[in-house]
Amino acid sequence: MGRSAKARRVCRLPKYARFEPQPDEAKAPVRMEVEDFECIRLMDYLGMTQEECAVQMGVARTTVQAIYTRARRRLAGALVEGRPLAITGGNFELCAQAAPADSPAILAEEKEKGRIFMRLAIPYDEGQIFQHFGKSEQFKLYEITDGAVTGSRLLASNGAGHGALVTLLQQEHVDVLICGGIGAGAQNALKEAGIRLFGGVQGDADQAAADFTAGRLAYDPAVHCEHHGAGEGHGHGCHHHRA
């Protein structure tokens, strides 16, 4: 008799367990197991490597590779064939302590009521979100209590570069950064500092903060910025890939 497969550790159950295309005809749903969802969440959404995902899920890297390949094929089948996608069942066990939330809505809804539980930073330029993180001259810091902005102040960067900016935010105990364009190096530094990133956001900074607390912030999980030369300035644009 074969040995049973080791249960995969899952640290967040899906908030939405079923997705439906526009109704046109009855089609059999594609079933995605909970560990498939967790692997997609960790690698495609949070940007973990296979090794990091394997540690998080408590399995071998080869197992993660197999789960990831299976999950992507199932997801592709649902999208290409217009079939419902259902996330249910599988071989998993829940973490003893859930991982930090991954969406603005969940970040806002799971903290203790009545306390300053989060500090949000936005690169700031005359009321707008400055579009190049590495050239930010100042940030606007927002304190969020019980799902609402309860205070804010400006923080000067004093000419700090990409890495020093992340250190500055870490020293200010920033939990979340909303920004426009941002390079891969800065993204990695934010990840190491434990600061959640919501990039590719444009427009009014105060509105973005309000949208974040309301769980309706529109952002780009695949944001990047290609302009890192010494001569770049405020006029350089950054590229945003829409997922």
Side-chain angles (χ1 to χ4, degrees), residues 114-120 141-153 209-210 213:
R115 296 178 57 191
I116 295 175
F117 60 80
M118 186 179 298
R119 184 162 290 167
L120 167 69
L141 303 184
Y142 300 83
E143 290 182 343
I144 301 173
T145 305
D146 193 24
V149 175
T150 54
S152 65
R153 63 182 175 89
T213 61

mmCIF file of all heavy atoms in Angstrom, residues 114-120 141-153 209-210 213:
data_model
loop_
_atom_site.group_PDB
_atom_site.id
_atom_site.type_symbol
_atom_site.label_atom_id
_atom_site.label_comp_id
_atom_site.label_asym_id
_atom_site.label_seq_id
_atom_site.Cartn_x
_atom_site.Cartn_y
_atom_site.Cartn_z
ATOM 1 N N GLY A 114 -10.195 50.074 17.433
ATOM 2 C CA GLY A 114 -9.884 51.143 18.354
ATOM 3 C C GLY A 114 -8.405 51.408 18.553
ATOM 4 O O GLY A 114 -8.037 52.203 19.398
ATOM 5 N N ARG A 115 -7.523 50.780 17.789
ATOM 6 C CA ARG A 115 -6.095 51.002 17.947
ATOM 7 C C ARG A 115 -5.494 51.456 16.619
ATOM 8 O O ARG A 115 -6.005 51.146 15.564
ATOM 9 C CB ARG A 115 -5.390 49.716 18.393
ATOM 10 C CG ARG A 115 -5.842 49.233 19.755
ATOM 11 C CD ARG A 115 -5.125 47.939 20.102
ATOM 12 N NE ARG A 115 -3.681 48.115 20.070
ATOM 13 C CZ ARG A 115 -2.815 47.103 20.131
ATOM 14 N NH1 ARG A 115 -3.255 45.874 20.205
ATOM 15 N NH2 ARG A 115 -1.522 47.334 20.114
ATOM 16 N N ILE A 116 -4.374 52.189 16.701
ATOM 17 C CA ILE A 116 -3.627 52.507 15.492
ATOM 18 C C ILE A 116 -2.913 51.230 15.081
ATOM 19 O O ILE A 116 -1.939 50.814 15.710
ATOM 20 C CB ILE A 116 -2.621 53.641 15.739
ATOM 21 C CG1 ILE A 116 -3.354 54.933 16.070
ATOM 22 C CG2 ILE A 116 -1.719 53.836 14.533
ATOM 23 C CD1 ILE A 116 -2.454 56.074 16.440
ATOM 24 N N PHE A 117 -3.412 50.583 14.081
ATOM 25 C CA PHE A 117 -2.898 49.265 13.753
ATOM 26 C C PHE A 117 -2.059 49.253 12.485
ATOM 27 O O PHE A 117 -1.446 48.254 12.164
ATOM 28 C CB PHE A 117 -4.049 48.266 13.583
ATOM 29 C CG PHE A 117 -5.019 48.620 12.490
ATOM 30 C CD1 PHE A 117 -4.727 48.344 11.173
ATOM 31 C CD2 PHE A 117 -6.226 49.223 12.781
ATOM 32 C CE1 PHE A 117 -5.619 48.647 10.161
ATOM 33 C CE2 PHE A 117 -7.116 49.542 11.783
ATOM 34 C CZ PHE A 117 -6.814 49.248 10.474
ATOM 35 N N MET A 118 -2.031 50.358 11.768
ATOM 36 C CA MET A 118 -1.326 50.334 10.495
ATOM 37 C C MET A 118 -0.810 51.726 10.140
ATOM 38 O O MET A 118 -1.456 52.730 10.437
ATOM 39 C CB MET A 118 -2.262 49.844 9.387
ATOM 40 C CG MET A 118 -1.597 49.655 8.047
ATOM 41 S SD MET A 118 -2.778 49.042 6.825
ATOM 42 C CE MET A 118 -3.223 47.478 7.595
ATOM 43 N N ARG A 119 0.361 51.748 9.523
ATOM 44 C CA ARG A 119 0.900 52.998 8.996
ATOM 45 C C ARG A 119 1.133 52.807 7.503
ATOM 46 O O ARG A 119 1.822 51.889 7.081
ATOM 47 C CB ARG A 119 2.188 53.382 9.713
ATOM 48 C CG ARG A 119 2.747 54.731 9.261
ATOM 49 C CD ARG A 119 3.742 55.268 10.262
ATOM 50 N NE ARG A 119 3.099 55.679 11.495
ATOM 51 C CZ ARG A 119 3.747 55.952 12.627
ATOM 52 N NH1 ARG A 119 5.059 55.849 12.658
ATOM 53 N NH2 ARG A 119 3.093 56.334 13.697
ATOM 54 N N LEU A 120 0.561 53.700 6.736
ATOM 55 C CA LEU A 120 0.582 53.644 5.279
ATOM 56 C C LEU A 120 1.418 54.797 4.744
ATOM 57 O O LEU A 120 1.298 55.923 5.214
ATOM 58 C CB LEU A 120 -0.856 53.741 4.757
ATOM 59 C CG LEU A 120 -1.094 54.008 3.269
ATOM 60 C CD1 LEU A 120 -0.668 52.808 2.451
ATOM 61 C CD2 LEU A 120 -2.560 54.324 3.022
ATOM 62 N N LEU A 141 2.578 60.041 5.251
ATOM 63 C CA LEU A 141 2.322 58.905 6.122
ATOM 64 C C LEU A 141 0.923 59.029 6.706
ATOM 65 O O LEU A 141 0.543 60.082 7.232
ATOM 66 C CB LEU A 141 3.349 58.843 7.257
ATOM 67 C CG LEU A 141 4.832 58.764 6.855
ATOM 68 C CD1 LEU A 141 5.695 58.612 8.099
ATOM 69 C CD2 LEU A 141 5.078 57.621 5.891
ATOM 70 N N TYR A 142 0.174 57.951 6.625
ATOM 71 C CA TYR A 142 -1.193 57.914 7.135
ATOM 72 C C TYR A 142 -1.287 56.893 8.262
ATOM 73 O O TYR A 142 -0.806 55.766 8.119
ATOM 74 C CB TYR A 142 -2.174 57.514 6.033
ATOM 75 C CG TYR A 142 -2.204 58.427 4.839
ATOM 76 C CD1 TYR A 142 -1.272 58.289 3.816
ATOM 77 C CD2 TYR A 142 -3.183 59.419 4.715
ATOM 78 C CE1 TYR A 142 -1.299 59.114 2.703
ATOM 79 C CE2 TYR A 142 -3.217 60.250 3.603
ATOM 80 C CZ TYR A 142 -2.271 60.094 2.605
ATOM 81 O OH TYR A 142 -2.310 60.921 1.503
ATOM 82 N N GLU A 143 -1.914 57.284 9.357
ATOM 83 C CA GLU A 143 -2.226 56.333 10.417
ATOM 84 C C GLU A 143 -3.674 55.896 10.254
ATOM 85 O O GLU A 143 -4.573 56.733 10.074
ATOM 86 C CB GLU A 143 -1.988 56.953 11.791
ATOM 87 C CG GLU A 143 -0.499 57.161 12.072
ATOM 88 C CD GLU A 143 -0.230 57.723 13.450
ATOM 89 O OE1 GLU A 143 -1.182 58.246 14.072
ATOM 90 O OE2 GLU A 143 0.926 57.647 13.903
ATOM 91 N N ILE A 144 -3.887 54.597 10.305
ATOM 92 C CA ILE A 144 -5.214 54.036 10.055
ATOM 93 C C ILE A 144 -5.695 53.315 11.310
ATOM 94 O O ILE A 144 -5.016 52.430 11.824
ATOM 95 C CB ILE A 144 -5.182 53.061 8.862
ATOM 96 C CG1 ILE A 144 -4.690 53.792 7.608
ATOM 97 C CG2 ILE A 144 -6.550 52.447 8.625
ATOM 98 C CD1 ILE A 144 -4.462 52.881 6.423
ATOM 99 N N THR A 145 -6.841 53.718 11.792
ATOM 100 C CA THR A 145 -7.441 53.133 12.980
ATOM 101 C C THR A 145 -8.824 52.615 12.635
ATOM 102 O O THR A 145 -9.651 53.352 12.095
ATOM 103 C CB THR A 145 -7.565 54.173 14.114
ATOM 104 O OG1 THR A 145 -6.282 54.745 14.363
ATOM 105 C CG2 THR A 145 -8.088 53.535 15.386
ATOM 106 N N ASP A 146 -9.067 51.364 12.935
ATOM 107 C CA ASP A 146 -10.391 50.784 12.737
ATOM 108 C C ASP A 146 -10.937 51.038 11.336
ATOM 109 O O ASP A 146 -12.086 51.415 11.147
ATOM 110 C CB ASP A 146 -11.355 51.318 13.795
ATOM 111 C CG ASP A 146 -12.664 50.538 13.848
ATOM 112 O OD1 ASP A 146 -12.668 49.361 13.436
ATOM 113 O OD2 ASP A 146 -13.679 51.111 14.292
ATOM 114 N N GLY A 147 -10.076 50.877 10.328
ATOM 115 C CA GLY A 147 -10.524 50.993 8.944
ATOM 116 C C GLY A 147 -10.719 52.394 8.439
ATOM 117 O O GLY A 147 -11.366 52.605 7.414
ATOM 118 N N ALA A 148 -10.166 53.399 9.121
ATOM 119 C CA ALA A 148 -10.312 54.787 8.678
ATOM 120 C C ALA A 148 -9.011 55.539 8.924
ATOM 121 O O ALA A 148 -8.272 55.248 9.868
ATOM 122 C CB ALA A 148 -11.460 55.472 9.416
ATOM 123 N N VAL A 149 -8.716 56.505 8.055
ATOM 124 C CA VAL A 149 -7.539 57.351 8.231
ATOM 125 C C VAL A 149 -7.793 58.303 9.397
ATOM 126 O O VAL A 149 -8.767 59.057 9.396
ATOM 127 C CB VAL A 149 -7.234 58.147 6.951
ATOM 128 C CG1 VAL A 149 -6.080 59.119 7.183
ATOM 129 C CG2 VAL A 149 -6.895 57.193 5.806
ATOM 130 N N THR A 150 -6.922 58.263 10.391
ATOM 131 C CA THR A 150 -7.116 59.087 11.590
ATOM 132 C C THR A 150 -6.012 60.118 11.781
ATOM 133 O O THR A 150 -6.057 60.905 12.724
ATOM 134 C CB THR A 150 -7.199 58.201 12.837
ATOM 135 O OG1 THR A 150 -6.038 57.356 12.903
ATOM 136 C CG2 THR A 150 -8.443 57.327 12.798
ATOM 137 N N GLY A 151 -5.031 60.125 10.898
ATOM 138 C CA GLY A 151 -3.962 61.106 11.002
ATOM 139 C C GLY A 151 -3.008 60.986 9.839
ATOM 140 O O GLY A 151 -2.930 59.940 9.195
ATOM 141 N N SER A 152 -2.283 62.069 9.572
ATOM 142 C CA SER A 152 -1.309 62.039 8.483
ATOM 143 C C SER A 152 -0.257 63.115 8.714
ATOM 144 O O SER A 152 -0.486 64.094 9.420
ATOM 145 C CB SER A 152 -1.990 62.249 7.128
ATOM 146 O OG SER A 152 -2.561 63.539 7.041
ATOM 147 N N ARG A 153 0.907 62.887 8.104
ATOM 148 C CA ARG A 153 1.980 63.885 8.158
ATOM 149 C C ARG A 153 2.919 63.641 6.990
ATOM 150 O O ARG A 153 2.921 62.565 6.377
ATOM 151 C CB ARG A 153 2.749 63.801 9.474
ATOM 152 C CG ARG A 153 3.486 62.489 9.709
ATOM 153 C CD ARG A 153 4.166 62.510 11.075
ATOM 154 N NE ARG A 153 4.775 61.233 11.398
ATOM 155 C CZ ARG A 153 6.027 60.887 11.084
ATOM 156 N NH1 ARG A 153 6.802 61.757 10.418
ATOM 157 N NH2 ARG A 153 6.525 59.715 11.429
ATOM 158 N N ALA A 209 -5.442 56.618 -0.233
ATOM 159 C CA ALA A 209 -5.464 56.138 1.146
ATOM 160 C C ALA A 209 -6.886 55.761 1.569
ATOM 161 O O ALA A 209 -7.108 54.741 2.222
ATOM 162 C CB ALA A 209 -4.891 57.197 2.083
ATOM 163 N N ALA A 210 -7.854 56.591 1.181
ATOM 164 C CA ALA A 210 -9.252 56.300 1.510
ATOM 165 C C ALA A 210 -9.733 55.037 0.802
ATOM 166 O O ALA A 210 -10.446 54.212 1.386
ATOM 167 C CB ALA A 210 -10.129 57.494 1.132
ATOM 168 N N THR A 213 -8.348 51.922 2.626
ATOM 169 C CA THR A 213 -9.060 51.561 3.855
ATOM 170 C C THR A 213 -10.445 50.998 3.560
ATOM 171 O O THR A 213 -10.972 50.201 4.347
ATOM 172 C CB THR A 213 -9.193 52.776 4.789
ATOM 173 O OG1 THR A 213 -9.940 53.809 4.131
ATOM 174 C CG2 THR A 213 -7.830 53.322 5.185
#
